[in-house]
Amino acid sequence: LLSSRTASPQIPQAASRQLPHRTMGKDNQVAKKDNAGCFYTLAVIALLVVCCGESVGFSVFNKYIFSGPLQVPIFVTATHQLFCFMGACMIWAASPRSFYTRTKIDSPAAWTKIMLIPLMFCMNIGMNNLSLQFTTLALNQLIRSFSPVAIALTSFLIEGKTQSLPKALSLTALVGGVIMGVSSSPDFELLGFLICAGSVFGQAMGIVMTAFVMGGTSVKLHVFDVLLYATLPSLVILLPWSYAMGEFDVLRNEIASEGYGPVLGLICAGGSLAFTYNLFCTIFIKMTSSVYYGVTGGFRCALAIVISFFIFPQKITVMGIAGIVVAMSAFVANSFFTMREKLAAQKKITASDDVENRAAEKERLLEADDRDTDYEVTKPQKILK
């Protein structure tokens, strides 16, 4: 009895000694989680800054070379595609499977979609780069901000798809802002406006027609899948287009006057910007979501417009400033409403999946209970025998 009395107090003392170590271990785990969360947040912010910076820098770079040193926008666009293809090949060969695994294409519907992508790219990016020869960067970005309206109109005419009231109101404000900004601009040129507007509607037609042709087929393509499969077919369109516009002669004259070095340097710089922009955007989307990246479109467009006035000689009026503010605010609002609708749709899908999983788990447990009940009934019978 004496030994039991003296031994019993030692148990809580040992537990009390171990308690601080356990508490310290939990504190360390919490601290590690906090540090990981801070690192993740900083990484996302850094990637967002890089993506926005590259987007604006790429637009400024294209406007600079297409207006002066290298006035061959279609040919340069083709070289961008070639650089993106080579970069995607390197990513495919060197990256781990967790980052990128090439998607195998088996169905005819998927190949149809992929063959539409080069046409969409040429109508969208090709015409947009061409328009930079004839219009200012501010007007180019303002006209490009009209794309949500073009996509909504095209999807209504082809698919009969309607917009929610908040999105319809934001699109109406976007139309008004673009009209105010473009019509009051002293730098307005009809040819540049028509080419840029054609690129916007080309983008909308490509997106809507791709979804329409695919129908109910679901094919998930990674960004690098698109670069691997669709960049080389786009050269079949871009290079003859460039030759027909006489850009090969312009390029030959530029090389004769400036030399191969400067021309090749500009081409390599543009190609590197094109590929690294796709790379950083892919990393950002993998860390967050394409829904959140879409919201940044309005901020990137507004930032490009503001910076363009500090770099290029452009003119603007009070009405133009008001139009830009209205258009960019409406663009951001429309992106926000789109993000909210997509997140709500994702929550519904997740909720339905959870219900199905719970039902399957319940059915599995019931089956397990039935097996256990059968075993308990038969076991005594065997013992009695």
Side-chain angles (χ1 to χ4, degrees), residues 220-238:
K220 294 182 179 180
L221 291 178
H222 196 278
V223 173
F224 294 120
D225 289 328
V226 176
L227 297 181
L228 282 175
Y229 293 133
T231 48
L232 292 184
S234 67
L235 299 182
V236 179
I237 303 173
L238 291 171

Side-chain angles (χ1 to χ4, degrees), residues 338-349:
T338 302
M339 179 191 69
R340 192 171 64 177
E341 291 179 0
K342 289 183 178 180
L343 291 177
Q346 290 178 1
K347 287 182 180 179
K348 289 182 180 179
I349 295 173

Side-chain angles (χ1 to χ4, degrees), residues 30 39 50 73 75 136 154 218 226 264-265 299 383:
V30 172
F39 178 76
V50 171
F75 179 83
T136 62
T154 308
S218 178
V226 176
L264 185 61
F299 297 102
I383 293 173

